[in-house]
Amino acid sequence: MGTEASASAVDLLRSQIPFQTDGEFVLPPTGVGLVLVDLCNGFCTVGAGNLAPVAPNKQIERMVEEAARLSKLFCDRNLPIFAFLDTHYPDKPEPPYPPHCIIGTGEENFVPDLEWLEKEPNVTIKRKSCIDGYISCIEKDGSSVFADWVGKYQIRTALVLGICTDICVLDFASSTLAARNIDRVPPLQDVVIYSEGCATYDLPVEVSMNIKGALAHPQDLMHHIGLYMAKGRGAKIVNRVVVEH
């Protein structure tokens, strides 16, 4: 499918399942936490692995830029950040996906623009071994690293960005909202997804047809669907993040 045809398909989809964004998010001085979903080499750095982009990708580059900008803003204000990093053992596959973000390969680590976060005292890093970050935080005794983080910093709003919009971001937002509804993550009230700070991968129809078992995954279309589904689960979708003066 050519570029014009792809754009027409996305426009058609948006006309059939439109959603109204919640505008801009004004960053409050307290009560907000930044959640970064899988800003790791294995999903974001060109040529870094089976699920990494094969060529420079504007949507992913924009996401990384916004993640770096907001991370610096949060650190400058000493606001809490919770960062998920997809991390797997070689003997524990994650079907239906091929091996990715295996410990020791470097794929499981922050993209270069965010490596500095490892040394910041306000950053909590959680290496996750499953698609849904919320589930990955639940320990065998029933406690939750994420719920503890929310409680410790009295987070009422979680500002979420990362990759993939329609997979890990959507799953995390959906589970977190479900948990909020039954009072499992007090005092959390809102999950806000920043659309310009999210991205997903691109697997065009014509490429997927030549890969056995692959599902087509046109980037702009699936990005829209991911945001639409998250909105339907109760997330707020914003297209701009500004600072309260």
Side-chain angles (χ1 to χ4, degrees):
M1 185 182 288
T3 302
E4 291 184 6
S6 297
S8 296
V10 173
D11 289 342
L12 176 61
L13 178 79
R14 286 175 174 159
S15 71
Q16 295 301 306
I17 54 170
F19 66 87
Q20 190 170 33
T21 72
D22 295 280
E24 68 179 23
F25 177 71
V26 180
L27 189 67
T30 60
V32 61
L34 180 65
V35 178
L36 303 176
V37 180
D38 294 341
L39 270 294
C40 53
N41 291 313
F43 295 147
C44 306
T45 301
V46 175
N50 289 323
L51 297 184
V54 297
N57 184 282
K58 290 183 179 180
Q59 189 182 88
I60 293 175
E61 290 171 356
R62 168 73 170 169
M63 172 194 66
V64 172
E65 289 172 2
E66 287 302 287
R69 178 181 74 87
L70 289 175
S71 294
K72 186 177 187 307
L73 185 62
F74 270 67
C75 288
D76 287 346
R77 292 169 175 253
N78 198 33
L79 292 171
I81 298 175
F82 195 99
F84 288 107
L85 288 174
D86 204 58
T87 305
H88 298 279
Y89 290 98
D91 60 342
K92 288 190 176 182
E94 187 180 42
Y97 302 102
H100 62 280
C101 299
I102 303 298
I103 291 174
T105 63
E107 294 180 33
E108 78 281 21
N109 296 329
F110 277 122
V111 294
D113 287 352
L114 291 174
E115 288 177 348
W116 58 274
L117 284 175
E118 295 177 2
K119 299 178 181 179
E120 295 296 321
N122 61 310
V123 177
T124 299
I125 297 174
K126 171 61 178 174
R127 292 193 174 274
K128 69 180 184 69
S129 57
C130 68
I131 295 169
D132 189 327
Y134 184 86
I135 291 177
S136 77
C137 287
I138 301 174
E139 304 294 340
K140 290 182 179 180
D141 63 3
S143 63
S144 168
V145 178
F146 178 72
D148 289 347
W149 177 78
V150 169
K152 177 181 179 180
Y153 294 103
Q154 289 296 288
I155 293 167
R156 295 183 294 279
T157 301
L159 177 61
V160 183
L161 59 158
I163 191 168
C164 290
T165 318
D166 54 313
I167 305 173
C168 293
V169 173
L170 173 61
D171 281 10
F172 168 76
S174 299
S175 293
T176 300
L177 287 162
R180 176 207 64 182
N181 290 347
I182 56 173
D183 301 318
R184 296 290 176 87
V185 282
L188 188 69
Q189 297 174 0
D190 293 313
V191 172
V192 177
I193 297 177
Y194 176 35
S195 61
E196 297 301 303
C198 291
T200 191
Y201 69 94
D202 190 32
L203 184 60
V205 174
E206 62 272 18
V207 176
S208 68
M209 291 175 65
N210 296 316
I211 303 174
K212 184 179 180 181
L215 293 174
H217 194 277
Q219 186 178 49
D220 289 341
L221 188 149
M222 298 307 297
H223 178 68
H224 176 82
I225 289 176
L227 296 173
Y228 175 86
M229 294 295 291
K231 178 83 171 178
R233 299 292 176 85
K236 293 182 178 179
I237 310 297
V238 299
N239 51 25
R240 191 167 176 236
V241 178
V242 296
V243 179
E244 187 178 71
H245 294 289

